[in-house]
């Protein structure tokens, strides 16, 4: 695989919840148009880490971040950088689908655009359709765009959330266990989607499912107790990891 | 064969036992269920009994005046002529006024305390606001009469008349006591109710809704609008209904500040009368049978109006709810 440029990079990132030191000195690189999977046992800090990438971590009362996160080479934690502008460029999809319950399917997808100041109906329509197509949901909802987002099935809601995140064309998309609440068919659909989407966005995905990581990611990072143990090509992590702790985890000896 | 039988019986015994146990549990459940049902039915019975009783006492007046009772503004105990239109109007307008004033304030208070204020300040201010609900209404009445009314008469009402006098609602002399003063005092009385319930509702909005908005790049206000207010519309409607219910029936404070004039005036600054305040004013003095019956009819109307407004609001909630569910996969 041809090496692409580094779009996102962390340098010695530390994250705290009050006195709890949840993430320790994590340095990672994410290349554009790749999928990077974050794996590790529950509580090792995967969610915390990806939430430092779009400045969501600091929304938790008492939480703070140290270190640098470079998006296209510039530090998103530099004083004076507005977290709002960062979150518009780095989309996020959560474990539990969370469409806005009082908004229609259309308005859910258009929400980010409206926040960014787009008003023209024709523009919104175009982008909503494009995003729903990208999220492989268009055919299922094109006749009921005015129905509430929460009227969809769980898997459809999660794809709606993906469409909502994609609508503002973020170069990076973070996904925190996006399929852990879904049935196998919905999961397969989203996995397929992730592999297609990487042509357009860089994806960082947290998963508990190692088969999933093996199927869809180019790189895999293994986390343990707040530290990033190793990150490598997925094929290498799952065949000959360098660290014995990674090997133990992958072979199911703990975690 | 023997072995098989043995196996079967040993399989059966625990099942029988557990079935017996389950039946006991059900018996408890049933008792509980019937007790609750009896209590619920009792409440319903009381409600119906009150309605029927009121209706029976009202019958002479209803027979005498017919539907005209609701549309006539003529209330004259001396001549035995009774019409309740002015009081229905007074009740509805003063309550709507109260909601119009209290709703934005309550929402602001609730949002400030839940979303913006530091936790210490929020709990202190929240406590104070909720204490407002514990003040007896006669104290509100006194305060309205001696503080609010004079200020409205000398400062606020003249100003409104000067600048907005072209609107009929703000014409005429500033009385101090009147519909507007009642609305203001009622607004202060229902603010704790509406804001306390709104706070509960905001607190109940799942974090995931806020995070959805934040992750899309919403500012603080946009997050509140998209992730909090949007998700709690129904609940806020419920809070307003409860406030409205309280305003409709409030008696003492309103009686003290509304001016007790048995007529409909277009100006909000003119004295007026509500159904509840009429009852408080006249019930003790009514000796004539028709007068008593007319008062009972007003009570019955108050009952009906409260009932209808609550039902209407419930209907709204139900419609919004069912529209949200529309198209849901069962
Ligand atoms: N709000 C919080 N306050 C304090 N500590 C927290 C908070 N959230 C998480 N932590 C702690 O931070 C550590 C990392 O948590 P995190 O949620 O990132 O783990 P995770 O790898 O995503 O786990 P999972 O796989 O279960 O989602 C845990 O030890 C957890 O106890
Ligand atoms: Mg997690």
């Amino acid at each position: 695989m041809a090496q692409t440029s580094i779009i996102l990079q962390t340098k010695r990132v530390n994250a705290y919840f009050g006195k709890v030191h949840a993430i320790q000195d994590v340095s990672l690189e994410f290349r554009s148009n790749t999928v990077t999977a974050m794996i590790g046992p529950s509580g090792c800090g995967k969610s915390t880490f990806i939430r430092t990438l779009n400045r969501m971590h600091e929304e938790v009362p008492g939480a703070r971040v140290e270190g640098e996160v470079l998006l296209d080479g510039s530090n998103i934690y530099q004083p004076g950088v507005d977290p709002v502008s960062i979150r518009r460029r780095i989309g996020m999809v959560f474990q539990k689908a969370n469409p806005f319950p009082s908004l229609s399917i259309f308005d859910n997808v258009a929400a980010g655009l409206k926040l960014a100041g787009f008003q023209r109906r024709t523009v919104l329509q175009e982008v909503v359709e494009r995003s729903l197509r990208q999220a492989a949901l268009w055919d299922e909802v094109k006749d009921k765009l005015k129905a509430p987002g929460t009227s969809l099935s769980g898997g459809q809601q999660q794809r709606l959330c993906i469409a909502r995140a994609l609508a503002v064309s973020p170069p990076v998309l973070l996904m925190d266990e996006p399929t852990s609440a879904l049935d196998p068919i919905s999961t397969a659909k989203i996995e397929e989607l992730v592999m297609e989407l990487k042509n357009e966005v860089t994806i960082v995905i947290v998963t508990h499912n190692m088969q999933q990581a093996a199927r869809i990611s180019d790189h895999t990072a293994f986390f343990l107790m707040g530290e990033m143990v190793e990150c490598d090509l997925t094929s290498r992590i799952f065949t000959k990891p360098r660290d014995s702790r990674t090997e133990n985890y992958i072979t199911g000896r703990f975690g | 064969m023997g072995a098989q039988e043995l196996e079967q019986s040993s399989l059966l015994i625990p099942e029988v036992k557990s079935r017996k146990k389950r039946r006991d549990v059900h018996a408890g459940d049933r008792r509980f269920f019937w007790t609750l049902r009896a209590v619920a039915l009792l409440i319903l019975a009381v409600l119906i009994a009150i309605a029927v009783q009121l209706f029976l006492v009202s019958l002479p007046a209803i027979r005498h005046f017919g539907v005209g009772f609701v549309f006539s503004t003529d209330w004259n105990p001396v001549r035995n002529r009774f019409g309740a239109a002015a009081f229905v109007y007074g009740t509805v307008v003063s309550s709507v006024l109260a909601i119009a004033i209290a709703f934005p304030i309550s929402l602001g208070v609730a949002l400030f305390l839940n979303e913006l204020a530091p936790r210490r300040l929020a709990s202190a201010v929240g406590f104070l606001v909720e204490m407002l609900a514990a003040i007896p209404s006669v104290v509100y009445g006194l305060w309205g009469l001696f503080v609010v009314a004079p200020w409205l008469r000398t400062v606020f009402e003249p100003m409104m008349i000067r600048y907005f006098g072209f609107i009929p609602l703000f014409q005429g002399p500033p009385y101090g006591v009147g519909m507007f003063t009642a609305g203001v005092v009622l607004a202060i009385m229902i603010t704790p109710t509406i804001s306390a319930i709104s706070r509960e509702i905001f607190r109940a909005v799942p974090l995931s809704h806020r995070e959805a908005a934040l992750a899309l790049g919403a500012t603080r206000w946009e997050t509140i609008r998209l992730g909090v207010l949007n998700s709690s519309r129904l609940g806020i409607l419920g809070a307003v209904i409860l406030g409205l219910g309280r305003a409709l029936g409030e008696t003492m404070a309103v009686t003290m500040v509304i001016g007790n004039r048995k007529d409909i005036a277009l100006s909000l600054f003119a004295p007026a009368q509500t159904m509840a305040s009429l009852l408080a004013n006249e019930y003790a003095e009514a000796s004539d049978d028709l007068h008593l019956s007319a008062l009972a009819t007003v009570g019955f109307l108050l009952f009906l109006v409260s009932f209808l407004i609550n039902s209407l609001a419930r209907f709204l909630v139900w419609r919004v709810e069912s529209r949200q569910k529309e198209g849901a996969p069962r």
Side-chain angles (χ1 to χ4, degrees), chain A residues 51 54 56 59 61 84 87-88 90-92 94 98-103 108 111-112 115 144 147-148 150-153 164-165, chain B residues 119 207-220 222-223 225-227 229-231 233 323-329:
Chain A
R51 287 166 63 94
N54 65 342
M56 282 291 283
E59 291 295 332
V84 166
R87 293 183 202 131
R88 287 196 180 149
I90 304 187
M92 188 161 204
F94 298 85
N98 55 359
F100 298 115
S102 59
L103 297 189
N108 260 288
L115 288 178
K144 49 173 181 176
T150 42
S151 68
L152 299 173
S153 75
R164 180 176 68 188
Chain B
R119 210 168 288 170
L207 184 63
S208 67
H209 294 183
R210 272 168 238 255
E211 294 204 316
L214 275 176
L216 272 185
T219 61
R220 191 174 237 194
E222 288 163 344
T223 304
R225 184 169 57 79
L226 210 55
L229 286 179
N230 251 348
S231 311
R233 283 188 210 156
R323 199 184 304 149
Q324 274 189 350
K325 277 193 206 116
E326 209 168 272

Side-chain angles (χ1 to χ4, degrees), chain B residues 157-170:
Chain B
E157 292 180 1
M159 189 190 80
M160 291 297 283
I161 291 166
R162 177 118 143 257
Y163 295 109
F164 295 96
F166 59 91
I167 304 170
L169 289 177
F170 304 122

Side-chain angles (χ1 to χ4, degrees), chain B residues 93-259:
Chain B
V93 173
S94 62
S95 300
V96 168
L97 208 57
I99 291 290
I101 300 169
F103 177 61
I105 296 176
S106 310
L107 211 59
V109 167
L111 281 179
F112 172 73
L113 294 182
N114 267 29
E115 308 291 330
L116 305 174
R119 210 168 288 170
R120 280 257 188 84
L121 183 69
S123 54
V125 176
F127 177 73
L128 287 179
V129 172
E130 273 154 44
M131 280 305 292
L132 284 178
I135 298 176
S137 71
V138 64
V139 175
Y140 275 108
L142 282 174
W143 177 71
L145 197 57
F146 292 117
V147 180
V148 180
W151 181 78
L152 288 176
R153 188 183 65 238
T154 53
V155 182
F156 185 78
E157 292 180 1
M159 189 190 80
M160 291 297 283
I161 291 166
R162 177 118 143 257
Y163 295 109
F164 295 96
F166 59 91
I167 304 170
L169 289 177
F170 304 122
Q171 277 166 5
Y175 283 93
V177 292
M179 186 82 91
F180 189 76
T181 314
V184 170
V185 172
L186 278 175
I188 295 163
M189 294 177 75
I190 63 177
T191 292
T193 311
I194 304 182
S195 66
I197 298 169
S198 303
R199 278 188 79 186
E200 291 304 318
I201 288 155
F202 293 151
R203 228 174 278 158
V205 173
L207 184 63
S208 67
H209 294 183
R210 272 168 238 255
E211 294 204 316
L214 275 176
L216 272 185
T219 61
R220 191 174 237 194
W221 161 242
E222 288 163 344
T223 304
I224 290 174
R225 184 169 57 79
L226 210 55
V228 181
L229 286 179
N230 251 348
S231 311
S232 41
R233 283 188 210 156
L234 284 181
I236 291 170
L237 187 61
V240 169
I241 296 163
L242 279 173
L244 188 60
R246 202 172 162 209
L248 283 174
E250 173 52 39
T251 308
M252 198 59 215
V254 172
T255 308
M256 292 167 81
V257 299
I258 201 166

Side-chain angles (χ1 to χ4, degrees), chain B residues 30-47:
Chain B
R30 257 198 306 278
R31 262 199 300 277
F32 186 57
F33 174 76
W34 281 107
T35 314
L36 288 189
R37 173 171 274 202
V39 172
L41 286 178
L42 190 71
I43 291 171
L44 194 66
V46 169
L47 187 79

Side-chain angles (χ1 to χ4, degrees), chain A residues 139-208:
Chain A
D139 290 329
E140 288 157 70
V141 301
K142 62 170 183 261
D143 298 322
K144 49 173 181 176
L145 292 174
K146 288 210 173 75
T150 42
S151 68
L152 299 173
S153 75
Q156 289 173 324
Q157 286 190 28
Q158 193 59 295
R159 277 178 284 147
L160 178 64
C161 292
I162 294 174
R164 180 176 68 188
L166 291 174
V168 289
S169 310
V172 179
L173 183 63
L174 310 175
M175 305 175 104
D176 191 353
E177 299 189 42
T179 63
S180 66
L182 301 181
D183 62 278
I185 293 175
S186 303
T187 300
K189 273 191 183 150
I190 287 181
E191 288 183 4
E192 207 175 302
L193 187 58
V194 167
M195 290 186 275
E196 273 166 30
L197 281 176
K198 81 172 178 188
N199 295 320
E200 284 145 79
V201 292
T202 304
I203 293 175
V204 182
I205 183 168
V206 173
T207 176
H208 258 296

